[in-house]
Amino acid sequence: MNSKIKELRESCNMTQKEFSEYFRIPLSTLRKWEQGESNPPSYLTRLMAYSLPSANNALSELSGLGNKKYYYNANKKTISDTKGNEIKINIDLSEVNKNNLEIYLEDMFNDFYSIQKKFEEDCKYDLIDGITWSTF
């Protein structure tokens, strides 16, 4: 999440001081977010994204299945979920059927979560068992 805040700030060409003053948050809090020492709540990141003038033009909200929300950054060609996960895409979404897009988003993020879970489980096994894999 910390990189999201920094990306938002940089997308508006704001210094940390300007950004913290704009949102009336302590500069030390912003620095902690950007350095990964703490994270803002996901709803706060979304509110910030939609209240910044230049970021607001690049981000659009996409509806997913079951009232899920996603955020499309046309400039960066990325889609983010409300958990702060971001996936790079290589296609313009403007011509995609909105009903189909809901299904595609659900599939893409479900696959992402599955892969992420498998990765984390593999890493846990590695820590527990100390296995060294070979690439023969």
Side-chain angles (χ1 to χ4, degrees):
M1 191 73 71
N2 57 344
S3 62
K4 292 273 183 227
I5 296 294
K6 186 173 182 177
E7 286 176 21
L8 287 173
R9 180 180 61 77
E10 289 176 344
S11 73
C12 297
N13 296 316
M14 291 178 139
T15 65
Q16 286 182 330
K17 186 175 191 293
E18 291 168 335
F19 192 87
S20 66
E21 288 174 356
Y22 184 85
F23 286 106
R24 296 186 178 124
I25 57 172
L27 182 57
S28 60
T29 299
L30 176 62
R31 287 183 175 148
K32 286 179 183 177
W33 290 346
E34 289 191 3
Q35 294 170 359
E37 294 175 21
S38 65
N39 293 313
S42 59
Y43 75 89
L44 185 58
T45 304
R46 288 192 308 277
L47 289 173
M48 289 176 164
Y50 282 102
S51 65
L52 287 170
S54 63
N56 196 26
N57 294 334
L59 291 175
S60 58
E61 187 175 288
L62 301 174
S63 295
L65 296 175
N67 296 324
K68 291 182 183 173
K69 298 294 179 196
Y70 300 96
Y71 302 93
Y72 175 54
N73 186 321
N75 294 341
K76 290 176 41 186
K77 294 230 187 259
T78 58
I79 300 176
S80 303
D81 65 5
T82 56
K83 299 175 185 177
N85 297 302
E86 183 177 81
I87 299 175
K88 176 92 170 130
I89 60 169
N90 297 311
I91 188 168
D92 178 13
L93 297 180
S94 62
E95 300 297 321
V96 178
N97 178 299
K98 298 302 177 200
N99 291 327
N100 291 343
L101 186 58
E102 290 179 0
I103 296 167
Y104 303 153
L105 289 167
E106 185 77 9
D107 286 346
M108 180 174 69
F109 276 93
N110 281 340
D111 288 348
F112 172 82
Y113 302 141
S114 293
I115 291 167
Q116 184 181 47
K117 182 179 178 182
K118 182 184 179 324
F119 174 80
E120 290 170 356
E121 287 171 355
D122 287 346
C123 290
K124 285 179 188 176
Y125 289 133
D126 183 76
L127 293 171
I128 294 169
D129 297 333
I131 296 172
T132 302
W133 297 102
S134 177
T135 59
F136 299 66

